Amino acid sequence: METNTKVKATQKKAKSLHISGAEAVVRCLLEEGANLIYGYPGGAIMPIYDELYKFQDRLHHVLTRHEQGATHAAQGYARTSGKVGVAMATSGPGATNLVTGIADAQIDSTPMVCITGQVASHLLGSDAFQETDIIGISTPVTKWNYQITKASEIPEIIAKAFYIARSGRPGPVLIDITKDAQFEKFDYSYKKCNGIRSYAPYPALSNESLEEALTLIDQAKKPFVVWGQGVILGNAEEEFKAFLEKSGIPAAWTILGLSALPTEHPSNRGMVGMHGNYAPNILTNECDLLIAIGMRFDDRVTGDLNTYAKQAKIIHLELDPAEVNKNVTVDVALLSDCKISLKELTKRIASKTYPEWIARFDALDKIEYDKVIKSDLFPKKQGLTMGESIEMINKYSNNDAIIVTDVGQHQMVACRYAKFSQSKSNVTSGGLGTMGFALPAAIGAKMGAPDREVVAVIGDGGYQMTIQELGTIFQQQVAVKIVVLNNDFLGMVRQWQQLFFDKRYASTEMVNPDFVTIAKGFRIQAKRVDKREELDAAVKEMMASKEPYFLEICVEKEDNVFPMIPSGSSVSDIRLE
């Protein structure tokens, strides 16, 4: 008996590894299936990078040209792959350069783990070289963060980080590791995290609330669904589609919910919000039942809260209790994973049609087509429009590309006119509205979905905020297609200045460089078009390329995006011109 016990103890000891904290970090990442990370090295994280060098056959590190680019690339990767994105940086300015991307991921519910190096633990609080309190700085914009000062903490904390980032409502987590913890050796073992005390990421669906929701749906004469990214994050696309098809209820999307339902699906009535479609915005204030699914009633969707859907009963399908009754008071909250709540609703609702209600959508759609869409897509003006440029991309992508957008007029136009046949196809900065997002995010999006075409649609302003990531595209040979819609303005700000500030174009006109020459300097195929007769062939050539490609499309300088709800106005006050 004593001999057997000794043998078992020896076997157990042999299985454990006595390794450095830096090596443990890399092994933990591999345990979590993170074989692709984005980052930028520096002094305080150099021990981890030394281990990455040793494991480069199993874990691919992408050297971005700026730490912000690393976070946006990790976001793009997460959004198209459905996995947790990973970004890495050194202490001080390296860590603080991650913050914009972390804040973007937090508000858009993107699962991401960021790892930063930190000065040695005995120097903490001493204002040492490149020391910054990244824990304090990042606390408001992370789902969770933690500073590791002992190597033995690394496996447990990284396991928790991945669990927290991906579970429930996803979000970014930051782990800060002191340099001495990276050098310190310990007996390593890894156990994945499957739960944390007091953290309940998936609320149980209430039968009472379900019954109340079913009653409201049964009684409704003019029901309307608004869905958001929660449908995509919950992998509930099929359940959502089944609910719409059985219920017969028309539906519209927030920009982050775009692509959860194919563009051509008959229940899909377009976009809500400031630059959304005419019918869904107007009819938000005419419906008698509003069913909100996986969306948070953002101000860009609701406009003036004092006038938003006051005539309607409201059902909110939501995973995060903090979002319920935060902006809009609802009648019934279905707190649960929407994959579950939608399935339960679909089982028990009656099949219905609403011909008169649907006809109201059709009539308003025609008004918008005649006043806005026709001139956007089939313009008579001499200059190119953003709308016809997006329509040309649809033509040569067969509505199957991933479209990554930056922030501004081009973003709204792309969201309005891009067509999608499958989910996880729209990657954009929604809540934070981060200019500079698209170029690095497109890198990650393509790496997350290598078999799909990825087209980054960017304005000339946002493009120059992260233009250095052309170097990453060149070095990694990521076959993204980059389309800059160039109007020589910060277009969205200029539009507001035109409409609300008597055309005082203060600091919005851009004097731009030769974008084609810059792209060619990075050995990227490049072309510029400014005439309508050149557009078709240029887009066709770009989409046919198997390599990175840059296309500059020079569009009308003072073209505006309509419809538009003026800031703070009711959704009923949507303008068509």
Side-chain angles (χ1 to χ4, degrees), residues 113-188:
V113 170
C114 294
I115 296 172
T116 54
Q118 185 55 275
V119 300
S121 54
H122 72 279
L123 293 173
L124 291 171
S126 70
D127 291 334
F129 177 67
Q130 290 194 335
E131 181 199 359
T132 299
D133 179 12
I134 193 60
I135 294 297
I137 290 170
S138 66
T139 294
V141 294
T142 49
K143 191 176 177 184
W144 183 62
N145 64 16
Y146 190 90
Q147 186 174 75
I148 293 174
T149 58
K150 297 289 183 184
S152 58
E153 296 179 290
I154 288 171
E156 180 185 0
I157 296 304
I158 290 183
K160 280 186 178 181
F162 275 86
Y163 175 70
I164 291 170
R166 66 164 68 99
S167 60
R169 179 181 180 176
V173 171
L174 183 137
I175 304 301
D176 192 43
I177 310 176
T178 61
K179 196 166 184 179
D180 52 324
Q182 297 173 50
F183 279 121
E184 184 184 7
K185 294 196 172 183
F186 73 111
D187 291 332
Y188 166 84

Side-chain angles (χ1 to χ4, degrees), residues 474-510:
F474 170 49
Q475 183 169 346
Q476 298 291 325
Q477 282 301 293
V478 187
V480 296
K481 311 298 166 59
I482 307 156
V483 177
V484 167
L485 300 180
N486 185 3
N487 58 10
D488 293 313
F489 268 109
L490 299 178
M492 187 61 82
V493 184
R494 184 213 56 75
Q495 177 168 335
W496 281 51
Q497 288 171 335
Q498 177 185 339
L499 297 177
F500 308 116
F501 293 88
D502 297 325
K503 292 191 176 182
R504 293 188 294 275
Y505 295 158
S507 302
T508 47
E509 189 163 9
M510 305 283 287

